[in-house]
Amino acid sequence: MTDAVATMLSFPPDNVDTLSPRDYEKAMDSYIKKLEKLPGSAWTKAVGEQNVLELIDPEVNSLPYLNSLLQQVRAAAKDRKKQEGLLDNAIIFCTSFDPVQVRYLGEQWRDLMEWVTDMLANLSMPDFSAVTTAMLRLDPTAGTFTTLHLHLVRRCLEIGAPSQALPILDKNLYAFPVAPPKNATEDLLSEPHELSNAFITTKSGFTHKLHSESVLEYYLLGAHVYIGLRNLDRARLFLEYIILHPSSSHATSALQVEAFKKWVLIGLLSEGKRWPLPRTHDVAVMKSIRSLTKPYDALAENFEKRDHRKMAAEMDVGAQIWQEDGNQRLVKEVGNALLRYRVLDMQKTYAALPVSRVATFLDVAPDVTTTMLGEMIRSGHLNASVTNGNTPGDAVLRFHPATTASSSDSELEHQTQRIQDLIMFVRDADRRLQLTKEYVETQKRAKRAGADGDLADQMDLTWDAPAPGLANDGDEDIMAA
């Protein structure tokens, strides 16, 4: 057993920091072969009176620690007490492993993370921060979609702690695992990769087989989280990802129909009207979706007309539909929001008016109207003030001019970073596209046909960030022109 431990501790070598990626790759291949030759008992049996995990540093010897931990978890499948003890080791591993080393044992890393997620979900006070930390330690962008993304969000929703999935949900996806191109040289796992899809592939083991339904479900569950947290802009983005999801032969998914229903409702909540359809939507798919969501369109139409009587009637008639769709609470919120938007519409005509007139317009008692206006002002939905009178009806509602909030430096910095990230993702997508067989064949045909083609295809669409301090000069030049 001491020889086995010595083998486990034989990597990394003392000169690991000076190794080139190729030399690191050779040393790692040799090391993994040695580990594979170790007997199964070497990973689970104690050395003297110590557990193997006590003799290995998860930060330095990540591969043997991961393998030993996973083997012990499997061996203790029916021993709950022992599994809870191993969970402590797993949490230590999640926060300290070497992200480069684990690229060589993707399947084991995935299995361990799924087990940790399931174990944490069964605790009295679940905390998934260890899992999100591990995911971001492996891939700081969390931008390559894996089945672990979906697994984590499911568990967070199941236990009623949706906000714990935000560290992953807040990261934008830019790639899905694909097989490396056959005729291209594969990137070395030990190389410093700008984006994670270079090492998270269909062969790496970091994910189970992906299906389009998995992606749609991830976005739909993510939208549920953002709706619950009232981040409607982010929820809209997720729902539109689903609505715009491409499909063969213009087939419509049930998840797209569900997403569209929520998209209509949160549009009414957010802006008092339906958002315009994304320009890139599939006309045939959208036609199919609209035919299946007519009650929601009718509800939205009455909302936009501010017809509260017809709106109330539609809500009552479709009560069973909203309940079956799981949208009853959202529809109720939309109904309450109608009163708010009817008040906001008055701001377009009046600068001030008695609360009694507002009450008559809304068909609500003056005292109820006063209370409702106060709640709207406190919640930030209404930029106004109410001057008290002798009676609730004598009070006066005064609308305040809308103020345009200027973007703060931090917001501008955040937007700049998003643009730079997007450019990096687009360049990576271009690179991967150029390695596909279809692209190569198209280029060959274009070359045989000659250079005559659309000049737009020959344009340089790359973008370089301006040098520090030159952004304002550029704006001045544009204005001067």
Side-chain angles (χ1 to χ4, degrees), residues 3-5 7-8 33-43:
D3 292 339
V5 173
T7 301
M8 295 177 193
K33 287 176 182 177
K34 291 178 183 176
L35 294 182
E36 288 174 347
K37 292 178 181 178
L38 293 177
S41 58
W43 304 105

Side-chain angles (χ1 to χ4, degrees), residues 316-470:
D316 290 340
V317 169
Q320 187 174 351
I321 295 174
W322 322 135
Q323 186 173 6
E324 290 174 355
D325 291 344
N327 291 326
Q328 192 172 29
R329 182 179 294 180
L330 266 181
V331 170
K332 186 178 179 181
E333 284 188 42
V334 169
N336 294 335
L338 179 57
L339 281 176
R340 181 172 80 240
Y341 279 104
R342 291 180 71 199
V343 173
L344 291 172
D345 289 344
M346 298 175 75
Q347 189 173 7
K348 299 173 184 177
T349 307
Y350 303 100
L353 71 165
V355 169
S356 58
R357 287 191 62 184
V358 178
T360 302
F361 178 72
L362 298 178
D363 196 17
V364 179
D367 56 337
V368 176
T369 303
T370 303
T371 303
M372 183 189 71
L373 292 174
E375 290 175 356
M376 288 176 62
I377 292 169
R378 283 191 296 274
S379 62
H381 289 129
L382 179 62
N383 187 18
S385 59
V386 176
T387 305
N388 293 327
N390 295 327
T391 64
D394 293 335
V396 177
L397 172 65
R398 299 184 186 278
F399 295 106
H400 298 163
T403 55
T404 305
S406 58
S407 299
S408 65
D409 290 342
S410 60
E411 288 174 343
L412 291 173
E413 196 174 316
H414 179 66
Q415 289 176 8
T416 302
Q417 184 60 49
R418 283 185 60 195
I419 292 171
Q420 290 176 347
D421 289 344
L422 180 61
I423 291 165
M424 180 172 62
F425 300 155
V426 170
R427 283 176 174 165
D428 178 71
D430 285 343
R431 182 186 67 83
R432 285 186 282 117
L433 175 64
Q434 290 168 10
L435 294 174
T436 60
K437 182 180 178 182
E438 293 80 2
Y439 181 87
V440 173
E441 290 176 352
T442 302
Q443 291 300 301
K444 286 180 181 178
R445 287 197 298 271
K447 191 174 182 180
R448 286 196 296 268
D452 295 331
D454 190 344
L455 291 176
D457 294 336
Q458 303 171 30
M459 292 174 63
D460 182 6
L461 299 180
T462 58
W463 178 87
D464 294 315
L470 295 182

Side-chain angles (χ1 to χ4, degrees), residues 7 19 106 122 129 171 187 191 213 228 259 299 341 425 429 431:
T7 301
L19 292 178
N122 292 321
S129 59
K171 301 287 187 178
D187 296 325
E191 287 181 321
E213 291 79 8
L299 197 71
Y341 279 104
F425 300 155
R431 182 186 67 83

Side-chain angles (χ1 to χ4, degrees), residues 122-165:
N122 292 321
L123 298 180
S124 56
M125 296 183 65
D127 179 3
F128 292 108
S129 59
V131 180
T132 56
T133 298
M135 293 177 71
L136 294 173
R137 191 172 180 84
L138 174 72
D139 172 15
T141 68
T144 303
F145 182 72
T146 66
T147 47
L148 185 58
H149 284 66
L150 178 58
H151 190 69
L152 172 67
V153 177
R154 281 175 176 169
R155 289 290 177 267
C156 288
L157 285 169
E158 284 171 4
I159 65 165
S163 61
Q164 293 197 36

